[in-house]
Amino acid sequence: MIQEERTEDEPKEMREPLAIVGIGASAGGLEALELFFTQMPPDTGIAFVLITHMDPAQKGLLPEILRRFTAMPVRETEDGMTVEADTVYVKPAAADLSIFHGTIGHLEPVRTHGMRMPIDGFFQHLAEDQNGKAIGIVLSGTGSDGTLGIRAVKERTGMVMAQDPDSAQFTGMPESAIATGLVDYIAPAERLPELLVQYVKFSITALAGEQPATARIEAELRKIFTLIRLQSGQDFSQYKRSTIRRRIERRMAIHQIPSIGEYVRFLQENPHEIEILASELLIGVTRFFRDPEAWDTLQEEVISDLIPAKPEGSVLRAWVVGCSTGEEAYSMAIVLRECLDALERPDMVQIFATDVDRRAIETARHGIYPANIAADISPGRLERFFVKEDGRYRIRKEIRDSVIFATQNVISDPPFTHLDILSCRNLLIYLSADLQKRLIPLFQYALNPGGYLFLGTAESVAGSGAAFRTVESRWKIFQRRDVTPPQAPRLELPAVLTPPAAAEPKTRDFAREEEAASELAREWLLQEFAPPAVIVNENGDIFYFHGRTGRYLEPGPGRATLNVFAMAKGEIRDALESVLDAAVREKQRFVQKGVSVRGDGGERRVLLTARPVGRRAGRGEMLYSIVFQDLEEPPGEPAPKEAPDRDTPGNDRMTPLEQELAETRARLQYTIEDMQASREELTSMNEELQSTNEELQSTNEELTSSKEELQSLNEELLTVNAEHQKKIEELSETHDDMQNLLRTTRIPILFLDEDLRVRRFTDPIRPIINLQSGDVGRPVTDLAVNLKDERLRADVREVLDSLQVRTKQVQTRDGRWFEMRIVPYRTEENRIEGVVVTFIDIAPLKDLESSLRRARTYAESVVATVHEPLAVLDADLRIVSANRSFSTLFRLAPGEAEGHLLSDLGNRQWDTTELRRLLEEVASGQTEIEGSEVGIGRRRMRLSARSIRPDAGPGLILLAVEDVSGRPASG
């Protein structure tokens, strides 16, 4: 709310302003200030400091003038004056202003390269001192003073206003400020006070009073981050919350929105505000050679040692992270170029400059900056590396070509690698501590061993002391140590989905020719007399069944399988393992007798036979046959019995038991041998696996490193490709413009290189020089030149030698006249690479000259035939031409009178006041003389004169003279 008027008796701290407003104005600013303060209430609690361009030699009258339009006190500042609320302070003409803790200081005026920028200077001091309470207003004026200052105000979350250029007498300053895209309010001067009071009142009351819970704020912030990411693709969730909140609250104050929840809804309803907010969060305030001492240290202590350590002719690689509008990147390029020139090294410079703000990158690519950058750049550097165009400075092509700009997010995109210098100044301070800890190892990875890291004065590599050596602690210059990071930064690459190979069938059919009788017979015999059998591999996987195997094998419960060990019944399973294992190991037939199988029909014995049958086609895998045979006693022949060793009742049962025991012992022996062999194989395999694992780990590390390098290289190539694509588009546009220009002018033009070879030509030149499309690259001396003057080659060579423009008239063999103009072909770097020859058709001019000559000859012939003396005079009464009678009158040879003043003839007898007056009146067109007699010496002359007004050129006088001395005077 508006504060009540304060009295002088109130304590000084009560008069502290709610906000300090810096107002910059120049030409036409007095009217704007009048309109502004006429509408500004006197009791808002705001203090105003006026910065204008005034001649230091003259006394300023601005305080007296402003007192007529405002009830607030208007004071001229004094050194050490404390700023109070509801007061207007005016900068004196003989000082520049600073401010520190609300106290104004006077500085000696600084004129940078002929320009004073007091508004920029005070705005920067105001931003550093007042932070978010700083407000900058730019009113009418010429030039660009204030443009750099408002950048500083915005960096500290202040607010910026500008007068609408349509209402300003001089638009230079407001337009320059608006062009930065940083101005919050644009309005006529009389409208700005209302907007200013609303903003300050809302900032102090509504936003300061609402303190929602932290969880609520965080939830709303996440919504804002989501909206920004959906629209712009930028993720601000890892930026410092304090910075984010200040900038969001400033936007809320501009729109008079009291709560962050309402602002989220406002964003959803106004997508354009999302773009503005994202731009606000990305404000990168930078300038050329920010912190000059830091750049001097970098040049003297880092680059001067870095360059000699590299092989001559190598490439110096640097990466400027968060380059904003390019000033930092160009500063780096200039410093590197100066060092290379000083050391007379031919090395190339390649600088990658990246930022997430596309608009800032576009500005950087153009390389054009306002004139007030001269305050930050020395005259020598301005002359060497910049070109002044239309009141602005443009980076020279030599520096521009060494910098590649690209849109990149250092948080999520792959880094550039193999760098000698990495500059990341005043970016880390806006990021969270966790994110900073992730980026420092990334920077270490990107730098070559011994490479240098250049940070802002408020940033550090805390926690990475083992990775970096401090070179200069004050200016935060570090050198990478030759060590590997404890954990290399992981760069996620997109997964490549490879379709799995089709599984090969584990079985295959055995081919049979059932049509053949022999095959049919063989099959019948197998079915009738061959015992049941299966074909398996060494793991027991069944490939083929023969006969009825159901008495020996059956599917087990659970998941279906065709493994013989899983399907074998009861006692057969143990016997099968030893039989197959023996066949695999011995590679020969193995027979085991006396395997007892208990079934529904009682106990029976089964003979198991296993042997190799050959290798499986296509795999090289050995296959084995397992044959099942029931053992039966022959009829009428009782089983042989061995005589018992003892006469005991259980002796008959001992023989089968002993046989089974022997078989069990044999299987156990095989099992032990298999276990020992398996143990040895496992031990050997384990050693091999360990060795293989180490090799794989090493290979994996190499692949990871190669992957990261390839990804960085890919990012680098994409960046270079984008830069080249941009240049191609610009060149294509320029080429199209040039082609259309040449076609519309229809002027014959010939471009030749230094060796007089054709580089380019326009179609209208074909009648003059016989050129075809395939003649590009041919010497002009080989071409048919349709000119009577055969000195074209000599004229071109003369221009190349003298670098002077040569113009002459030439005629073609068919009689057409042209004005030939030969000028040196200059590149943007002011190198001479040939000449440009143009031919201007002057046939109409020649026809006009011929007509004029004929008309002159005709007129002279007429005048010559007249017996009366006639002369043509110019406005100074000087004789332009005269006929023979006139020359005879004055006893002069024909043509001798031309060029003389009429008053000088006849011994100056014609130098009379009356004659001069009459002729001057004729020359002015006031009158004409017809038969007027005047005395010339002792003679009387009758004169007739009239003014001649040609279409072009000065007026002339036609004078006719007749001697009437012997005649009676006319009445």
Side-chain angles (χ1 to χ4, degrees):
M1 58 184 293
I2 304 298
Q3 301 178 5
E4 297 180 357
E5 185 176 355
R6 300 180 175 87
T7 64
E8 296 293 335
D9 296 332
E10 288 181 345
K12 187 172 183 179
E13 57 270 21
M14 296 297 293
R15 310 245 333 144
E16 182 177 338
L18 300 178
I20 299 178
V21 179
I23 302 179
S26 181
L30 183 58
E31 177 185 352
L33 290 171
E34 175 185 344
L35 294 171
F36 181 89
F37 283 106
T38 300
Q39 300 298 322
M40 174 58 67
D43 54 356
T44 59
I46 302 173
F48 301 89
V49 182
L50 272 57
I51 312 295
T52 60
H53 294 171
M54 295 184 292
D55 186 355
Q58 296 183 0
K59 177 178 174 57
L61 301 177
L62 187 58
E64 288 79 2
I65 297 173
L66 289 179
R67 290 189 183 104
R68 306 172 191 169
F69 311 116
T70 180
M72 289 183 286
V74 181
R75 303 174 183 173
E76 187 171 82
T77 63
E78 298 176 1
D79 194 16
M81 178 180 285
T82 301
V83 176
E84 299 181 6
D86 299 323
T87 307
V88 180
Y89 298 90
V90 179
K91 182 187 83 69
D96 287 345
L97 298 187
S98 66
I99 186 169
F100 184 71
H101 292 171
T103 300
I104 290 178
H106 281 189
L107 303 173
E108 189 71 24
V110 177
R111 184 176 294 274
T112 306
H113 314 320
M115 296 183 295
R116 286 184 63 193
M117 299 292 178
I119 302 173
D120 277 334
F122 180 73
F123 280 5
Q124 290 170 2
H125 289 297
L126 181 65
E128 293 173 2
D129 188 62
Q130 296 295 306
N131 286 319
K133 294 172 63 177
I135 297 174
I137 301 179
V138 179
L139 299 178
S140 173
T142 59
S144 58
D145 195 9
T147 300
L148 296 183
I150 66 173
R151 288 182 176 273
V153 172
K154 293 288 285 189
E155 179 188 17
R156 302 296 182 125
T157 66
M159 192 267 283
V160 175
M161 312 178 86
Q163 182 179 2
D164 190 339
D166 293 338
S167 67
Q169 288 189 19
F170 295 89
T171 62
M173 284 171 46
E175 286 180 343
S176 179
I178 294 170
T180 63
L182 303 178
V183 177
D184 298 303
Y185 295 104
I186 304 171
E190 64 271 19
R191 176 85 172 94
L192 292 176
E194 179 185 356
L195 299 172
L196 173 64
V197 173
Q198 290 177 356
Y199 173 82
V200 174
K201 176 183 176 182
F202 192 85
S203 300
I204 298 301
T205 57
L207 291 181
E210 184 185 5
Q211 295 294 333
T214 302
R216 177 184 172 188
I217 291 178
E218 187 63 28
E220 300 296 347
L221 287 177
R222 284 197 295 269
K223 295 178 183 178
I224 293 176
F225 295 150
T226 301
L227 291 173
I228 294 176
R229 186 175 61 186
L230 287 175
Q231 180 147 331
S232 66
Q234 297 162 359
D235 185 3
F236 293 98
S237 61
Q238 300 185 75
Y239 280 52
K240 282 185 178 177
R241 288 297 187 267
S242 58
T243 303
I244 296 292
R245 286 194 59 183
R246 283 197 302 269
R247 299 194 184 277
I248 291 176
E249 288 172 355
R250 206 187 64 78
R251 294 302 304 173
M252 292 167 59
I254 289 174
H255 292 291
Q256 309 287 293
I257 298 175
S259 71
I260 191 170
E262 293 181 36
Y263 185 64
V264 171
R265 288 191 291 275
F266 181 77
L267 289 174
Q268 292 172 328
E269 297 169 358
N270 299 272
H272 181 62
E273 175 67 15
I274 299 177
E275 297 179 6
I276 296 176
L277 178 60
S279 178
E280 291 264 338
L281 297 177
L282 288 174
I283 288 176
V285 178
T286 183
R287 60 178 185 265
F288 284 96
F289 302 101
R290 187 175 189 176
D291 301 323
E293 293 183 41
W295 286 98
D296 292 341
T297 302
L298 183 73
Q299 189 169 8
E300 295 169 4
E301 299 186 16
V302 172
I303 300 177
S304 59
D305 294 336
L306 173 66
I307 294 176
K310 295 181 71 66
E312 188 168 333
S314 58
V315 178
L316 287 170
R317 291 168 57 88
W319 181 17
V320 179
V321 183
C323 68
S324 187
T325 48
E327 290 90 335
E328 187 99 2
Y330 288 130
S331 299
M332 181 70 72
I334 289 171
V335 167
L336 289 173
R337 177 49 55 194
E338 286 178 338
C339 290
L340 288 173
D341 291 346
L343 296 173
E344 297 182 352
R345 293 272 299 237
D347 305 46
M348 292 179 59
V349 175
Q350 186 178 50
I351 298 176
F352 301 98
T354 62
D355 199 282
V356 295
D357 190 347
R358 295 182 182 275
R359 291 186 298 179
I361 289 295
E362 285 300 318
T363 301
R365 281 175 173 158
H366 287 100
I368 299 176
Y369 299 94
N372 51 8
I373 65 168
D376 301 319
I377 305 174
S378 66
R381 282 173 171 166
L382 276 177
E383 177 69 23
R384 170 73 174 82
F385 300 109
F386 292 83
V387 178
K388 195 165 187 180
E389 295 179 348
D390 301 327
R392 298 185 297 175
Y393 286 102
R394 178 174 57 82
I395 285 284
R396 289 191 182 272
K397 191 173 185 294
E398 172 191 12
I399 297 299
R400 174 64 188 87
D401 289 347
S402 64
V403 184
I404 298 173
F405 291 99
T407 304
Q408 188 216 37
N409 190 334
V410 69
I411 300 172
S412 58
D413 293 334
F416 298 96
T417 56
H418 305 296
L419 303 172
D420 300 302
I421 301 175
L422 194 156
S423 174
C424 181
R425 308 188 69 212
N426 302 308
L427 171 64
L428 298 180
I429 58 175
Y430 297 111
L431 306 179
S432 64
D434 291 340
L435 189 54
Q436 292 182 33
K437 292 178 181 179
R438 287 169 48 194
L439 286 180
I440 295 301
L442 185 73
F443 293 163
Q444 178 191 4
Y445 168 76
L447 285 166
N448 289 326
Y452 292 90
L453 178 63
F454 191 21
L455 299 180
T457 54
E459 299 163 338
S460 67
V461 292
S464 300
F468 290 95
R469 178 182 70 86
T470 302
V471 177
E472 172 55 56
S473 58
R474 179 185 178 190
W475 301 118
K476 307 299 182 181
I477 302 176
F478 306 92
Q479 185 178 29
R480 180 194 157 175
R481 300 180 188 273
D482 192 6
V483 296
T484 303
Q487 184 175 1
R490 295 293 179 186
L491 305 177
E492 297 298 332
L493 288 172
V496 178
L497 298 178
T498 304
E504 294 191 17
K506 292 187 177 181
T507 62
R508 65 180 180 89
D509 294 332
F510 290 92
R512 297 175 304 186
E513 298 181 1
E514 298 179 358
E515 295 77 12
S518 59
E519 185 66 24
L520 291 174
R522 187 181 301 112
E523 187 173 327
W524 181 82
L525 291 172
L526 286 173
Q527 290 177 356
E528 292 297 325
F529 299 102
V534 291
I535 304 297
V536 300
N537 61 12
E538 62 182 20
N539 297 321
D541 297 324
I542 300 173
F543 288 89
Y544 185 76
F545 290 90
H546 174 73
R548 299 180 179 273
T549 58
R551 298 182 65 188
Y552 316 101
L553 306 176
E554 65 180 358
R559 185 177 180 180
T561 180
L562 287 177
N563 188 276
V564 70
F565 302 122
M567 297 179 66
K569 293 182 179 181
E571 299 82 353
I572 296 179
R573 182 182 301 110
D574 295 335
L576 276 177
E577 291 179 358
S578 59
V579 168
L580 181 60
D581 183 71
V584 170
R585 185 174 59 253
E586 300 296 336
K587 299 291 190 299
Q588 62 184 4
R589 178 171 178 168
F590 182 88
V591 177
Q592 183 178 27
K593 298 181 180 180
V595 178
S596 299
V597 179
R598 294 181 178 87
D600 295 339
E603 182 175 320
R604 70 181 189 279
R605 297 186 64 78
V606 176
L607 175 66
L608 301 178
T609 305
R611 71 171 185 177
V613 295
R615 296 189 178 275
R616 185 181 177 194
R619 290 285 187 96
E621 183 181 23
M622 182 63 73
L623 298 181
Y624 302 86
S625 67
I626 299 177
V627 180
F628 303 94
Q629 290 178 286
D630 288 339
L631 296 178
E632 297 180 356
E633 295 291 341
E637 295 182 10
K641 294 183 180 180
E642 296 181 4
D645 294 333
R646 299 178 184 88
D647 189 10
T648 60
N651 211 30
D652 293 338
R653 296 197 306 267
M654 291 301 295
T655 300
L657 293 176
E658 289 175 353
Q659 185 176 358
E660 288 183 10
L661 179 60
E663 293 172 357
T664 302
R665 286 176 177 173
R667 289 201 303 271
L668 178 60
Q669 182 63 31
Y670 287 131
T671 302
I672 293 173
E673 292 175 358
D674 286 343
M675 289 181 62
Q676 290 177 346
S678 298
R679 184 179 301 160
E680 293 174 358
E681 291 177 1
L682 288 174
T683 301
S684 175
M685 186 181 298
N686 183 56
E687 294 175 353
E688 292 179 2
L689 288 174
Q690 287 181 345
S691 176
T692 303
N693 184 54
E694 292 174 357
E695 293 178 2
L696 288 175
Q697 286 180 343
S698 176
T699 304
N700 183 57
E701 292 174 358
E702 293 177 1
L703 289 174
T704 301
S705 176
S706 299
K707 176 187 70 175
E708 293 168 352
E709 291 182 2
L710 286 173
Q711 190 165 5
S712 297
L713 179 60
N714 181 59
E715 180 72 16
E716 199 170 302
L717 291 174
L718 288 174
T719 301
V720 175
N721 182 61
E723 185 78 7
H724 286 170
Q725 186 64 34
K726 182 71 175 177
K727 290 182 178 179
I728 290 171
E729 291 174 359
E730 293 175 356
L731 289 174
S732 178
E733 183 178 350
T734 303
H735 179 265
D736 292 341
D737 292 344
M738 182 61 67
Q739 290 296 323
N740 282 279
L741 174 64
L742 295 177
R743 279 196 295 266
T744 55
T745 56
R746 301 296 300 170
I747 297 176
I749 303 176
L750 175 65
F751 295 85
L752 301 175
D753 62 15
E754 294 174 294
D755 298 325
L756 307 189
R757 295 180 180 274
V758 177
R759 298 177 57 174
R760 188 189 297 271
F761 61 88
T762 59
D763 289 341
I765 204 172
R766 297 180 191 271
I768 304 172
I769 302 176
N770 187 19
L771 283 167
Q772 303 299 325
S773 300
D775 290 333
V776 175
R778 292 184 59 189
V780 71
T781 53
D782 293 350
L783 304 174
V785 180
N786 185 27
L787 295 175
K788 293 181 179 180
D789 186 347
E790 299 181 354
R791 287 184 45 83
L792 176 61
R793 182 178 181 279
D795 291 337
V796 170
R797 182 56 64 187
E798 182 179 338
V799 170
L800 284 174
D801 294 339
S802 65
L803 304 183
Q804 299 297 317
V805 178
R806 182 173 179 81
T807 304
K808 64 186 296 187
Q809 294 182 357
V810 295
Q811 187 179 23
T812 61
R813 302 186 190 279
D814 56 3
R816 296 179 59 189
W817 282 93
F818 294 90
E819 180 181 84
M820 182 176 69
R821 181 179 176 86
I822 307 175
V823 298
Y825 182 99
R826 295 180 184 271
T827 65
E828 193 173 29
E829 291 80 21
N830 203 29
R831 294 197 306 269
I832 305 300
E833 294 186 354
V835 297
V836 181
V837 186
T838 59
F839 295 87
I840 306 299
D841 188 358
I842 59 172
L845 181 61
K846 283 292 185 180
D847 293 342
L848 180 60
E849 288 180 357
S850 178
S851 298
L852 290 175
R853 282 197 301 269
R854 290 195 299 270
R856 182 182 179 89
T857 302
Y858 176 77
E860 289 176 349
S861 299
V862 171
V863 170
T865 58
V866 176
H867 294 293
E868 291 183 354
L870 294 176
V872 178
L873 310 178
D874 60 15
D876 297 328
L877 306 185
R878 190 180 299 276
I879 299 172
V880 177
S881 64
N883 65 358
R884 184 180 297 273
S885 299
F886 190 88
S887 299
T888 303
L889 177 64
F890 289 95
R891 298 182 175 87
L892 298 172
E896 186 179 352
E898 296 176 1
H900 290 82
L901 292 172
L902 181 64
S903 58
D904 292 340
L905 300 179
N907 297 324
R908 300 191 64 83
Q909 292 179 358
W910 290 70
D911 187 11
T912 66
T913 304
E914 181 182 4
L915 178 59
R916 187 180 302 108
R917 179 183 59 79
L918 289 172
L919 293 178
E920 288 176 352
E921 290 178 356
V922 173
S924 63
Q926 298 177 5
T927 185
E928 293 182 355
I929 302 175
E930 188 66 42
S932 178
E933 295 183 3
V934 296
I936 304 296
R938 291 177 295 178
R939 294 187 295 177
R940 294 190 63 78
M941 296 291 182
R942 180 179 295 168
L943 305 179
S944 297
R946 65 179 61 248
S947 175
I948 303 175
R949 295 288 178 181
D951 293 336
L956 301 174
I957 302 171
L958 179 61
L959 175 64
V961 182
E962 182 182 1
D963 189 354
V964 294
S965 300
R967 303 178 186 178
S970 60

